Amino acid sequence: MTTTYDVTGMTCTHCVAAVTEELTALDGVTDVSVDLVAGGTSHVTVTGDPSSDAVREAVAEAGYALA
């Protein structure tokens, strides 16, 4: 399953790396792709079957929020 989430607060490639690292650590995640919109709402596509709550927590752990 592939799901795209809107994430706010990301501004650079370091942000992308932080979110990607947290999400790929989740059980069941096989791929993460980030379409960075610096200062806007970025689109994060997660392939696998993590719960929405787990994704929300991982994004928050990286310092960002789901829109």
Side-chain angles (χ1 to χ4, degrees):
M1 180 165 70
T2 300
T3 307
T4 300
Y5 298 90
D6 292 335
V7 178
T8 59
M10 298 173 65
T11 59
C12 63
T13 57
H14 173 74
C15 301
V16 171
V19 168
T20 300
E21 180 180 349
E22 290 296 331
L23 289 172
T24 55
L26 294 176
D27 288 338
V29 172
T30 59
D31 189 47
V32 175
S33 174
V34 179
D35 179 18
L36 177 65
V37 178
T41 302
S42 298
H43 307 288
V44 178
T45 303
V46 178
T47 302
D49 61 355
S51 70
S52 293
D53 288 339
V55 170
R56 183 178 307 278
E57 290 174 17
V59 169
E61 182 67 27
Y64 308 98
L66 294 184

